[in-house]
Amino acid sequence: MHRAVSMVAHLGLRLQALPSALGRPFSCAQDVLRRTPLYDFHLAHGGKMVAFAGWSLPVQYRDSHVDSHLHTRRHCSLFDVSHMLQTKILGCDRVKLMESLVVGDIAELRPNQGTLSLFTNEAGGILDDLIVTSTSEGYLYVVSNAGCWDKDLALMQDKVREFQNTGRDVSLEVVENALLALQGPTAAQVLQAGVAEDLRKLPFMTSAVMEVFGVSDCRVTRCGYTGEDGMEISVPAVAAVRLATALLENPEVKLAGLAARDSLRLEAGLCLYGNDIDDHTTPVEGSLSWTLGTVTSGCPSPCLKKNVAMGYVPSEYSRPGTPLLVEVRRKQQVAVVSKMPFVTTNYYTLK
């Protein structure tokens, strides 16, 4: 039996950033990459573009990765996450369809409440992680990973056809909106200036449709991938630049890219699909044939000023405080098993 653990390494240990997490530079010959509605906006603001999951996305801007990371922890940052797959599941049998695909209890969600869940295969392996929100408008709003776009969409479409062929009422729509993530301790304060609704009544993992800085039909969900308070805003593509520009007018807000997003989520102990979880990982056990010390994600923590990592070890080595030897570039380095998250999360909940 192997178990996922977190590790804090001595300052001398260098954990190489994983290419799948941060993306890679691309040349003009790779212009077949998909572009978000904010592509030109990123270039105009000094975004360094890389290939990530078939998309051209900014890895960082003029500020360094560490500066962007720390700004998110202290103020708030704006991330373009429009590469994520957004879908609507409609019809009277929408909940039954989704519960046939994921491990979550979708039927128990209250109106406009969301939950993190997992697509799984017949062996219990994780096909992808996703957020499912039961909206008051009568559909399920689903956000899943760009790297699993094709297989997630095919999985849902196949199940929709299967349900429809047996006479059940269900359909699927791909949402063509852009998706912006405003993350950090001052995110709610910044966004409150542009909405009529009281954001104090919107706790973590809840959602509402509202006008945001004059842009109508935006779905605001209080969630994120940084461990901080924040919102993801699904906005009509034609208005994405206008909304991003309005948010940046507040000096609290700076743009941040994939590099900061990766180190922030790792500090918060949040898994990255394809690195920390995959279709060989079960959601219950993480029972893998991997060996001691296997590191799935790792990077220097700007907040802790230490190197942190997530990985899998046999159960007998998973107790916090257990010293481990981790092989890095053919050299063994000392690491210590620790509790996650590495940095305390600051999600907004109702007391």
Side-chain angles (χ1 to χ4, degrees), residues 114 179-180 224 234 251 265 300:
L179 191 63
L180 302 178
S234 181
R265 68 93 190 168

Side-chain angles (χ1 to χ4, degrees), residues 266-283:
L266 183 50
E267 280 191 345
L270 300 173
C271 290
L272 174 66
Y273 189 83
N275 285 40
D276 309 301
I277 53 175
D278 58 25
D279 58 4
H280 297 293
T281 312
T282 66

Side-chain angles (χ1 to χ4, degrees), residues 141-201:
Y141 172 60
V142 181
V143 180
S144 56
N145 287 307
C148 300
W149 180 297
D150 291 337
K151 74 174 183 180
D152 287 354
L153 187 56
L155 180 72
M156 291 186 284
Q157 288 173 332
D158 288 346
K159 186 60 69 170
V160 165
R161 282 191 290 269
E162 179 185 320
F163 268 51
Q164 290 174 341
N165 289 339
T166 58
R168 284 179 278 190
D169 177 28
V170 68
S171 62
L172 178 148
E173 294 179 8
V174 176
V175 179
E176 301 291 348
N177 284 3
L179 191 63
L180 302 178
L182 187 66
Q183 298 284 296
T186 62
Q189 169 194 322
V190 168
L191 195 63
Q192 188 63 77
V195 301
E197 289 77 0
D198 185 355
L199 295 179
R200 292 175 298 180
K201 298 179 180 179

Side-chain angles (χ1 to χ4, degrees), residues 135-310:
T135 73
S136 58
E137 291 79 18
Y139 60 86
L140 299 178
Y141 172 60
V142 181
V143 180
S144 56
N145 287 307
C148 300
W149 180 297
D150 291 337
K151 74 174 183 180
D152 287 354
L153 187 56
L155 180 72
M156 291 186 284
Q157 288 173 332
D158 288 346
K159 186 60 69 170
V160 165
R161 282 191 290 269
E162 179 185 320
F163 268 51
Q164 290 174 341
N165 289 339
T166 58
R168 284 179 278 190
D169 177 28
V170 68
S171 62
L172 178 148
E173 294 179 8
V174 176
V175 179
E176 301 291 348
N177 284 3
L179 191 63
L180 302 178
L182 187 66
Q183 298 284 296
T186 62
Q189 169 194 322
V190 168
L191 195 63
Q192 188 63 77
V195 301
E197 289 77 0
D198 185 355
L199 295 179
R200 292 175 298 180
K201 298 179 180 179
L202 191 76
F204 184 60
M205 294 304 287
T206 61
S207 178
V209 175
M210 62 185 74
E211 182 177 292
V212 182
F213 286 98
V215 179
S216 58
D217 298 322
C218 293
R219 175 166 291 281
V220 176
T221 304
R222 199 156 201 160
C223 66
Y225 195 46
T226 63
E228 296 294 336
D229 185 24
M231 287 79 174
E232 291 187 355
I233 308 165
S234 181
V235 54
V238 294
V241 171
R242 177 155 60 101
L243 179 55
T245 301
L247 289 167
L248 282 178
E249 288 178 358
N250 191 315
E252 283 289 307
V253 184
K254 288 189 176 182
L255 290 167
L258 291 172
R261 183 170 164 84
D262 191 56
S263 56
L264 287 160
R265 68 93 190 168
L266 183 50
E267 280 191 345
L270 300 173
C271 290
L272 174 66
Y273 189 83
N275 285 40
D276 309 301
I277 53 175
D278 58 25
D279 58 4
H280 297 293
T281 312
T282 66
V284 177
E285 298 176 316
S287 182
L288 306 174
S289 59
W290 295 356
T291 58
L292 174 65
T294 295
V295 175
T296 56
S297 286
C299 75
S301 165
C303 290
L304 298 178
K305 294 181 172 56
K306 296 180 179 180
N307 296 294
V308 297
M310 290 193 288

